[in-house]
Every structure is written in structure tokens, then in C-alpha cells.
């Protein structure tokens, strides 16, 4: 589904037609790192079905924009995308993806307008070294956040697509090209609309692995392999990239000491223990503060994570907990 003219331009704009010279950076243009602020909501994706819908939503959304996806990662509380294209197009794509995700949450979980005020951040990526850094930062987001996956096997990201050999690795089914060739199927028009949650009729040849559109048709993983040139270079940047390499350029990441899935479970347990309910929605501000203080005293987690889970605004209550 990539625009052919756009893919021609990308070779020049990303310096893929320039010779590599050790120690010299290649200046690039029209490349951006977008992310949402993970400190503003307790969750964007609550479970496997939400992540599956989120993956398919990328395919449905990107079809309307002149944008190339180089890398992405869907996390419990936020998302990252590394995009190529004009800024206005990439920005519109990102906001549309967030808008559609908010609509999904309203339908699936009854929380209306949940993402209406979620900040969308972006960085301009201006050289080839930083491009490699933000791609690997995006891929490594899951293990850095405490999720028990290697970055290249985290199923809700583009990480599994790069530098793979057919049928010779162990990964979730959609990542395995051999399984893709064997199990890809083309479902009916009605079923495609249901799975992709769209009124627009998807193409008849959309390859599905189970409920998921194969991500290789909307991620330019071949371009990313050209950016790194070799698997050795890819592994080098995966190993060397640190959180501060992106933080220093204006990026954001939650420095969590406990995975948010575990903290969400502890929050539910504490709500039941303290107030006899499983959710913070029915608690008033005083009760939410009590919950936050209990979480703070019992578990080694960041204050921002605790306030988010307790349904509080960090800046308003950080000195009260």
C-alpha cells in the first residue's frame, strides 16, 4: 500500500543513495519520531484484543495518508511511530490514529473522550545516526518498560519484521514468514470490515494472520534494512541505544521500576481491599489520594505511574502523596 513515488523520494531524502563514510553523519529530511505522553492516561490498550485492534487500526489509518511507517510500538499507555513524509501528513496521521483509538475505547470500554487531551509529541530526525537511534529506541520500548519480551519479538510493534530469515526463528505466528505463507487467508468483505472495524470496504487481498493484518504490508521494513545496511549494524544500535540518547533530544519515556500490567493488578486489589470496588471511577478525590499513598508505600513504582493509575493529575497531587 506504499505510494511508489514516495518510496522513490525516500531513497534520496534518507541518504540511502549516498556512500557510507565512517565517522560522518548523513543529513536527512522528512523523517519524524512521534509519540503520545504515557503519563496522561492509565491505559490506551487494556488487553490482547485491544492490541489486535490497535495493530489493525494502523493499517486502516495509514491508507489515507502519504506516509511511510519505518517503525512503531504500541505500549499499554502510549505509542511510538517513526515516520517518513511531509510533517503535515505525518502529524495528521498521528492525530487521526489517536482519535480512532479514543473512539475504540469509548465503544469497547465505555470511556468516552479518554484520549481527547493526550499530548502528541514529535521530534525532527535530521541525520542517519539519530534515525537509527530512534528506530531502536522504539523497538526497545517494551523491554525498557519492564515487559518480558525481547524488543525484536514484542508482538505489538514492528520489531519482529527486520532482518528475518524465512521459517528459522521462534516468534508469534504473524512474525513468521513461513507461517505467513502457509496461514495467510483472505476473508469475506463482511469479515474484513468487522475485524478492521471500518465502514470502508478493505481490499480483497488483505492478508490476515488470524485476526491480524500482516504488518509487513504497511511497514517499510525493507527500507529500514537499507538504513542499517547490515544485521551487525542493526544489533549494534539495538545494544548501544540508551533512553538518554532520545531523552536528551526532547523525547519522553517512563522510567518504571515495575511493569504497569502488574501495577494495574495491584491497584485493583487495593481498591477492593480499601473500598470494596474494583475501579477508581467511583472514588472521590480523597479516596484516590488514599489509594495512591497505599500504592506508593507498598510498591516500588514511579510517582507518575501511581498518580496515573489512581486517576489523579500528577502536577496537582505530587506534593500530597
Amino acid at each position: 500500500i506504499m505510494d511508489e513515488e514516495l518510496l522513490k523520494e525516500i531513497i534520496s531524502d534518507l541518504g540511502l543513495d549516498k556512500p557510507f563514510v565512517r565517522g560522518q553523519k548523513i543529513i536527512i529530511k522528512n523523517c519524524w519520531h512521534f509519540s503520545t505522553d504515557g503519563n496522561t492516561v492509565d491505559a490506551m490498550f487494556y488487553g490482547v484484543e485491544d492490541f489486535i485492534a490497535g495493530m489493525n487500526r494502523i493499517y486502516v489509518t495509514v491508507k489515507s495518508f502519504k506516509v511511510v511507517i519505518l517503525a512503531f510500538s504500541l505500549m499499554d499507555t502510549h505509542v511510538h511511530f517513526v515516520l517518513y513524509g511531509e510533517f503535515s501528513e505525518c502529524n495528521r496521521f498521528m492525530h487521526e490514529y489517536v482519535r480512532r483509538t479514543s473512539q475504540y475505547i469509548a465503544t469497547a470500554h465505555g470511556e468516552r473522550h479518554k484520549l481527547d487531551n493526550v499530548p502528541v509529541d514529535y521530534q525532527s530526525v535530521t541525520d542517519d545516526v539519530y534515525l537509527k537511534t530512534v528506530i531502536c529506541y522504539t523497538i526497545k520500548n517494551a523491554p525498557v518498560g519492564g515487559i518480558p519480551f525481547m524488543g525484536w519479538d514484542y508482538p505489538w510493534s514492528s520489531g519482529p519484521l527486520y532482518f528475518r530469515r524465512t521459517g528459522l526463528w521462534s516468534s508469534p505466528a504473524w512474525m513468521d514468514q513461513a507461517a505467513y505463507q502457509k496461514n495467510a487467508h483472505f476473508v469475506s468483505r463482511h469479515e474484513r470490515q468487522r475485524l478492521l472495524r471500518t465502514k470502508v470496504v478493505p481490499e480483497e487481498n488483505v492478508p490476515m494472520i488470524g485476526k491480524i493484518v500482516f504488518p509487513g504490508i504497511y511497514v517499510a521494513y525493507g527500507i529500514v534494512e537499507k538504513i542499517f545496511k547490515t544485521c551487525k549494524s542493526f544489533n549494534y544500535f539495538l545494544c548501544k541505544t540508551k533512553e538518554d540518547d532520545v531523552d536528551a533530544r526532547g523525547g519522553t519515556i517512563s522510567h518504571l521500576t515495575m511493569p504497569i500490567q502488574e501495577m494495574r493488578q495491584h491497584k485493583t486489589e487495593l481498591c477492593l481491599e480499601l473500598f470494596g470496588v474494583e475501579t477508581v471511577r467511583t472514588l472521590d478525590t480523597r479516596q484516590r489520594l488514599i489509594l495512591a499513598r497505599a500504592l506508593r508505600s507498598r510498591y516500588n513504582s514511579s510517582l507518575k505511574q501511581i498518580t496515573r493509575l489512581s486517576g489523579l493529575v500528577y502536577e496537582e497531587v505530587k506534593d500530597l502523596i
Side-chain angles (χ1 to χ4, degrees):
I1 65 172
M2 305 296 181
D3 182 282
E4 291 186 7
E5 290 301 316
L6 195 61
L7 286 175
K8 290 179 181 178
E9 294 171 8
I10 203 172
I11 299 295
S12 174
D13 285 349
L14 298 188
L16 300 179
D17 55 351
K18 296 178 175 62
F20 171 75
V21 179
R22 186 179 296 275
Q24 289 187 9
K25 294 180 180 179
I26 297 174
I27 302 304
I28 65 175
K29 61 182 181 179
N30 289 331
C31 199
W32 316 89
H33 172 212
F34 279 85
S35 62
T36 59
D37 188 343
N39 293 314
T40 57
V41 293
D42 65 328
M44 286 181 74
F45 307 95
Y46 292 87
V48 172
E49 290 300 318
D50 289 352
F51 278 112
I52 289 174
M55 296 282 283
N56 290 339
R57 195 177 306 119
I58 300 173
Y59 166 76
V60 172
T61 305
V62 77
K63 285 164 56 62
S64 300
F65 297 92
K66 197 175 181 181
V67 165
V68 173
I69 299 174
L70 300 176
F72 75 89
S73 182
L74 308 183
M75 301 287 286
D76 289 79
T77 60
H78 63 286
V79 299
H80 286 268
F81 283 89
V82 181
L83 305 173
Y84 169 82
E86 295 292 335
F87 173 75
S88 59
E89 279 289 283
C90 295
N91 190 45
R92 286 175 57 232
F93 160 78
M94 190 68 184
H95 281 83
E96 177 64 9
Y97 183 80
V98 173
R99 186 189 70 81
R100 293 187 184 210
T101 301
S102 188
Q103 285 186 330
Y104 170 87
I105 292 172
T107 301
H109 301 288
E111 297 183 70
R112 294 176 59 81
H113 309 293
K114 182 166 187 177
L115 306 183
D116 284 3
N117 298 313
V118 170
V120 176
D121 303 315
Y122 75 91
Q123 298 174 320
S124 174
V125 181
T126 56
D127 65 70
D128 65 320
V129 174
Y130 193 59
L131 175 56
K132 294 173 184 176
T133 298
V134 296
I135 288 173
C136 289
Y137 170 84
T138 296
I139 294 169
K140 291 174 67 174
N141 221 240
V144 167
I147 297 174
F149 280 91
M150 301 301 291
W152 52 81
D153 277 340
Y154 179 59
W156 319 122
S157 80
S158 61
L161 292 171
Y162 313 114
F163 293 101
R164 293 291 191 168
R165 291 186 63 190
T166 301
L168 297 180
W169 62 90
S170 175
S171 297
W174 72 257
M175 304 174 188
D176 189 327
Q177 290 283 344
Y180 164 64
Q181 296 293 338
K182 179 180 179 181
N183 298 323
H185 59 283
F186 304 103
V187 298
S188 69
R189 167 180 167 174
H190 175 73
E191 182 68 3
R192 292 197 306 276
Q193 289 178 295
R194 186 185 70 80
L195 290 174
L196 301 183
R197 295 175 178 268
T198 178
K199 294 180 180 179
V200 178
V201 180
E203 295 92 338
E204 293 185 3
N205 60 344
V206 178
M208 307 287 295
I209 308 297
K211 298 180 180 179
I212 298 179
V213 172
F214 176 56
I217 69 170
Y218 58 77
V219 176
Y221 61 91
I223 293 293
V224 173
E225 291 175 355
K226 292 180 184 297
I227 291 168
F228 285 95
K229 294 183 172 60
T230 66
C231 185
K232 182 178 179 180
S233 172
F234 180 65
N235 286 330
Y236 170 75
F237 275 89
L238 274 176
C239 291
K240 76 179 284 289
T241 297
K242 305 184 299 296
E243 297 162 23
D244 290 346
D245 293 338
V246 173
D247 285 344
R249 298 280 290 261
T252 57
I253 186 171
S254 296
H255 300 276
L256 307 180
T257 50
M258 183 174 289
I260 195 166
Q261 299 98 321
E262 293 183 30
M263 285 301 297
R264 194 175 289 124
Q265 179 61 36
H266 294 317
K267 177 200 70 173
T268 300
E269 294 168 355
L270 266 179
C271 276
L272 281 170
E273 176 184 329
L274 296 172
F275 308 110
V277 297
E278 294 185 350
T279 175
V280 299
R281 296 176 194 169
T282 59
L283 304 183
D284 59 28
T285 302
R286 182 188 65 83
Q287 291 171 318
R288 294 183 186 198
L289 280 169
I290 292 172
L291 173 65
R293 289 169 182 150
L295 287 169
R296 180 74 162 168
S297 66
R298 296 192 191 187
Y299 303 104
N300 184 26
S301 183
S302 72
L303 185 56
K304 284 187 176 181
Q305 186 187 56
I306 287 171
T307 55
R308 185 168 68 242
L309 288 169
S310 302
L312 298 167
V313 178
Y314 172 74
E315 293 298 332
E316 294 178 357
V317 301
K318 63 181 179 180
D319 297 325
L320 301 177
I321 300 175

